[in-house]
Amino acid sequence: HCFYINSIPKMSEIKPSAIVNNEEIERIIEQLPKTNHLWNNIQLYQWEGFWSTLIILKAAMIFKATFKTEPNDILLASSMKTGSTWLMAICVSIMQGNKEEEEDLLVKDNPHFYVPTIETMDYYLKTSTHDIYTMPSPRLFHTHL
C-alpha cells in the first residue's frame, strides 16, 4: 500500500485558485452521473469510475489539477478499515528516525496529525491544516481514493 509517486507526471507550480475556479468545477460536476445513497440519502457523484460525495469529489479534483510531485514524495494508498492509521504510524516513526534527543511524535499526537489525507484536505473550503505546497521533503500523504 506504500509507494513513491514520482512516476506521476508533474503539474505546473500554479496554486489551486489560479488553475481551478468554482465555475469550472461546477460545470464538470453538473455533467457527472449522480445518485442518492440508499441509507442516508446523500447525493453521490461518479467521477473517473468512482462514486463519491461532493466535498470529497471537489477536493480530489483540485488536488489532481494542481498537485506537483517531488521525487521523494510518499503516498500511502489503502482501502478504508484496512489498517491505515497503523500504516501511518509506522511511516511517521520510520521517517522520524532514531533521534534520541527528540520526543516520539506519536506520543504527542495521532498519526493523522502528521499525515494529511488527500480527500480531507478541504482545499475547496480553504480549511486545510496542511499546506501540501510548502510541506518539507520528504512529504508523506495518505488517500482512500
Side-chain angles (χ1 to χ4, degrees):
H1 292 69
C2 178
F3 56 90
Y4 286 94
I5 58 175
N6 61 348
S7 61
I8 298 173
K10 293 190 175 195
M11 303 294 285
S12 65
E13 293 193 24
I14 300 173
K15 287 285 196 174
S17 59
I19 192 169
V20 178
N21 60 49
N22 193 38
E23 294 83 24
E24 181 181 353
I25 290 172
E26 294 300 330
R27 182 185 56 75
I28 294 168
I29 289 173
E30 284 177 7
Q31 299 173 6
L32 297 176
K34 60 185 171 184
T35 188
N36 286 334
H37 189 273
L38 295 175
W39 293 288
N40 53 11
N41 206 29
I42 293 175
Q43 200 158 48
L44 299 175
Y45 296 82
Q46 186 181 36
W47 181 60
E48 297 192 355
F50 296 93
W51 292 93
S52 181
T53 62
L54 189 59
I55 290 175
I56 291 174
L57 175 64
K58 288 179 180 181
M61 292 171 96
I62 291 171
F63 179 82
K64 182 178 180 184
T66 62
F67 184 68
K68 180 184 181 294
T69 63
E70 297 295 332
N72 55 354
D73 283 349
I74 300 168
L75 177 64
L76 305 175
S78 62
S79 298
M80 292 183 185
K81 302 298 181 193
T82 61
S84 304
T85 302
W86 179 77
L87 185 59
M88 284 185 228
I90 291 171
C91 289
V92 167
S93 295
I94 290 170
M95 291 177 73
Q96 184 182 13
N98 190 12
K99 300 175 184 173
E100 292 182 26
E101 66 277 0
E102 292 183 22
E103 183 180 5
D104 183 353
L105 294 175
L106 299 175
V107 170
K108 294 189 251 182
D109 290 299
N110 184 295
H112 293 278
F113 182 81
Y114 301 105
V115 184
T117 298
I118 293 167
E119 58 269 24
T120 60
M121 286 189 206
D122 294 333
Y123 274 103
Y124 181 75
L125 301 174
K126 306 284 190 243
T127 59
S128 177
T129 57
H130 297 278
D131 183 354
I132 62 172
Y133 298 95
T134 60
M135 288 174 65
S137 186
R139 301 181 300 181
L140 176 61
F141 305 103
H142 172 259
T143 185
H144 287 306
L145 296 176

